[in-house]
Amino acid sequence: MPSLKIHAWLVGIAFLYTVFPILIALLGVGLARLFNCSSVGLEYQCSIPGLGDLITLMVFAHWLGLLTLPTGGLLTIIGVLSLLGRLVGRLFR
């Protein structure tokens, strides 16, 4: 069985895996505002060549959350419950 420190790291990694697409999308919106890019339909257009395509991909990365939210969320919940069980078990030993 992994130590409590490794167990906590694994829970943290599972949580980051869960929210990573949403964080990328938020970063893309922030970059669009920073570089004054305009939204035209479903695309962003910027004065810097290629930046609009990158920001468009980043903003629509939240669709990857359809894959990562269920699996990562389940892993995070299981990991947190397991970690709490280990901590409570240590407390009452």
Side-chain angles (χ1 to χ4, degrees):
M1 213 162 196
S3 69
L4 287 176
K5 187 176 181 180
I6 293 174
H7 202 129
W9 272 98
L10 290 174
V11 169
I13 290 170
F15 178 74
L16 284 177
Y17 170 77
T18 304
V19 298
F20 194 67
I22 297 167
L23 294 176
I24 290 176
L26 291 174
L27 180 65
V29 170
L31 283 175
R33 288 185 181 174
L34 180 68
F35 289 109
N36 294 324
C37 299
S38 60
S39 174
V40 179
L42 294 176
E43 292 183 1
Y44 280 88
Q45 293 181 348
C46 302
S47 58
I48 301 171
L51 185 61
D53 294 334
L54 176 65
I55 289 176
T56 301
L57 285 174
M58 290 176 72
V59 168
F60 287 105
H62 70 280
W63 285 104
L64 289 174
L66 292 174
L67 300 174
T68 63
L69 280 173
T71 57
L74 188 61
L75 285 174
T76 303
I77 291 170
I78 290 171
V80 166
L81 291 176
S82 173
L83 185 62
L84 286 174
R86 287 187 65 189
L87 288 173
V88 169
R90 269 192 173 192
L91 188 64
F92 291 113
R93 239 189 249 180

